[in-house]
Amino acid sequence: DSIFTEKNLLANKSIESHSMEMEILNGLKNINKSYKEVAKEYDVSEYYVRDLFDRKVDLKRNELPEVLCIDEVYNKRLTKYKYCCILYSPQRRQIVDVLNTRHKNFLYDYFARISTQEKQKVRYISIDLWDSYREISYKCFPNAIVCADSFHVIKHIVEAFKKIRIRIQNKYKDTRNEETFSYYWLLKKYNYLLTSTKKRDNFKSRKVAHTRMYMTSNDLIHFMLKLSDELKLAYELLSSYQLFNQNASIDDAYPWLEELISKFKLSRIPEYIEIWKLLENWKVEIINSFNRTNGHRVSNGPMERVNRDIKTLYRTSYDMKNFVRTRNRIMFCINQNAPILSVK
């Protein structure tokens, strides 16, 4: 017997195809999924998923915002340069653009192609302590206030303090001397207490090995600082800057910072030489960072989550070598309502 099937006039293959394409593209919104994983989920080839994404997602630069954050993400595999430059708007919570390098000449040409009228809308620019960003900001945005990101300033000081702590603790590494070795062990195990800005529990005590004592966090700090006057001074300077960073305002930041620079300089601690020079060099931009917009201090803080998401995308899609596709994927995943080209 012969079997015949009647054509279903109600079925529309183009609608089914469009629906599947939209589901695949929505799947690619997930930063934890690679092209291969999405292809497997919808039982199509990885080539098809990549080709679909290239055809349907081609994102343009977004308009420059009132507050512009500039930062970079390391990825040498993606381009011939070590870092990709990220332009971000904290107010809109969206990436303005992803550039394949942070080189000064490239950035200058990039911003030179943007109209003066659009660049005049930028009121604040937040940057890390990269001289090229500062130079470009002043040249291309003469009306904007350039701010040094507070996180990066603190990071430099903490790293300098870490070097001081390691240098001093290593003097007491002799395991044959129980008393000095206890200092070495404490500084190595509880060093995070010396750099943390979180509130410490002054009442909760713990039994600390090598000391045979029950100690609170503050007890541990005082015990570690007894080891060296130099370490104690370095800790006090770090704490003083952390206090300044948390409590200063645009009105009192200048005299407060001047006093701190003087203290770092007079300490004569070798690792802090670069710190007081850095604070002196970036003094104007550090003070500018205490400006506020919509109640929030100007900083690159909102970018930290974005940078983590980008790094996650790199890890899940370890085979990503096409910069244009990767740029589109980053903006497609992070920016809400990123447009998709019409289906033909």
Side-chain angles (χ1 to χ4, degrees):
D1 295 333
S2 298
I3 298 176
F4 299 93
T5 57
E6 184 178 358
K7 184 177 180 180
N8 187 352
L9 299 177
L10 299 177
N12 190 326
K13 290 186 178 181
S14 65
I15 293 178
E16 292 177 0
S17 174
H18 170 69
S19 177
M20 188 180 75
E21 286 182 348
M22 291 301 298
E23 288 182 13
I24 291 173
L25 291 173
N26 285 331
L28 290 173
K29 276 274 189 183
N30 189 337
I31 61 172
N32 295 301
K33 289 186 178 180
S34 65
Y35 294 101
K36 186 176 182 179
E37 290 172 326
V38 174
K40 185 177 180 180
E41 184 178 342
Y42 290 94
D43 196 24
V44 294
S45 70
E46 184 179 354
Y47 172 81
Y48 174 81
V49 174
R50 290 178 183 271
D51 178 67
L52 173 67
F53 184 80
D54 290 343
R55 286 187 291 110
K56 303 305 179 187
V57 182
D58 184 18
L59 302 177
K60 307 303 180 185
R61 171 185 68 83
N62 288 306
E63 187 177 354
L64 293 177
E66 180 181 313
V67 179
L68 176 64
C69 297
I70 306 177
D71 205 351
E72 67 278 334
V73 175
Y74 179 84
N75 192 351
K76 194 175 181 179
R77 291 181 305 151
L78 187 58
T79 70
K80 63 180 181 179
Y81 306 105
K82 283 187 177 181
Y83 296 94
C84 295
C85 182
I86 312 296
L87 308 180
Y88 183 74
S89 167
Q91 294 172 317
R92 301 176 193 158
R93 297 183 180 180
Q94 68 172 201
I95 292 179
V96 176
D97 208 349
V98 178
L99 312 178
N100 66 348
T101 178
R102 64 173 184 173
H103 283 197
K104 179 170 62 177
N105 292 337
F106 177 88
L107 292 175
Y108 183 81
D109 291 340
Y110 174 85
F111 287 120
R113 292 193 294 270
I114 300 176
S115 69
T116 303
Q117 184 179 6
E118 184 178 350
K119 285 186 287 191
Q120 286 177 342
K121 295 178 182 178
V122 180
R123 292 181 56 206
Y124 298 99
I125 300 178
S126 180
I127 59 175
D128 61 19
L129 306 180
W130 179 249
D131 280 319
S132 294
Y133 290 160
R134 177 166 60 175
E135 186 176 337
I136 288 297
S137 297
Y138 283 122
K139 280 186 177 179
C140 299
F141 301 89
N143 297 329
I145 297 174
V146 182
C147 308
D149 178 47
S150 60
F151 168 79
H152 286 86
V153 180
I154 292 286
K155 182 180 177 181
H156 277 77
I157 302 176
V158 168
E159 287 174 352
F161 177 81
K162 180 181 177 181
K163 292 177 183 177
I164 299 168
R165 189 259 306 167
I166 291 174
R167 170 168 61 82
I168 293 173
Q169 88 179 22
N170 285 341
K171 294 179 182 179
Y172 300 90
K173 200 174 181 179
D174 186 1
T175 57
R176 293 169 297 181
N177 188 322
E178 185 177 349
E179 182 180 356
T180 58
F181 181 71
S182 66
Y183 282 119
Y184 170 81
W185 182 84
L186 284 171
L187 283 169
K188 192 167 185 179
K189 182 174 178 60
Y190 294 105
N191 66 82
Y192 65 91
L193 293 175
L194 298 174
T195 57
S196 175
T197 57
K198 295 180 180 179
K199 291 184 178 179
R200 304 182 183 92
D201 188 347
N202 297 329
F203 305 102
K204 187 177 180 180
S205 61
R206 72 199 87 176
K207 188 174 182 180
V208 181
H210 294 282
T211 66
R212 301 186 182 92
M213 294 187 292
Y214 282 86
M215 306 175 77
T216 65
S217 295
N218 281 347
D219 291 336
L220 278 165
I221 291 172
H222 293 316
F223 194 79
M224 288 186 284
L225 295 179
K226 282 170 54 179
L227 174 65
S228 165
D229 290 337
E230 185 181 26
L231 182 65
K232 183 178 181 181
L233 177 58
Y235 170 77
E236 289 171 351
L237 289 171
L238 170 61
S239 299
S240 295
Y241 192 88
Q242 290 172 332
L243 183 67
F244 160 77
N245 185 63
Q246 291 175 341
N247 297 292
S249 66
I250 190 65
D251 298 320
D252 61 11
Y254 178 80
W256 198 340
L257 182 58
E258 284 282 1
E259 182 182 357
L260 283 171
I261 293 172
S262 178
K263 287 182 178 180
F264 273 97
K265 189 174 182 179
L266 292 173
S267 72
R268 299 187 182 279
I269 299 175
E271 291 83 356
Y272 276 169
I273 292 175
E274 292 299 321
I275 296 303
W276 69 257
K277 288 182 178 179
L278 179 143
L279 296 178
E280 184 69 46
N281 184 29
W282 287 86
K283 181 164 52 180
V284 173
E285 290 75 23
I286 291 172
I287 294 168
N288 287 344
S289 72
F290 288 94
N291 279 286
R292 292 180 173 271
T293 58
N294 299 324
H296 298 285
R297 185 177 168 187
V298 178
S299 76
N300 278 9
M303 285 195 71
E304 294 307 311
R305 172 61 185 273
V306 173
N307 287 345
R308 287 198 298 270
D309 288 345
I310 292 174
K311 290 172 184 175
T312 299
L313 190 59
Y314 285 163
R315 287 194 299 271
T316 56
S317 302
Y318 56 88
D319 57 343
M320 297 172 77
K321 296 180 181 178
N322 184 318
F323 173 75
V324 175
R325 179 185 297 141
T326 303
R327 171 192 172 277
N328 282 327
R329 179 80 191 277
I330 291 170
M331 296 180 68
F332 184 68
C333 288
I334 294 174
N335 291 357
Q336 295 292 327
N337 303 319
I340 297 173
L341 299 179
S342 60
V343 179
K344 294 182 180 180

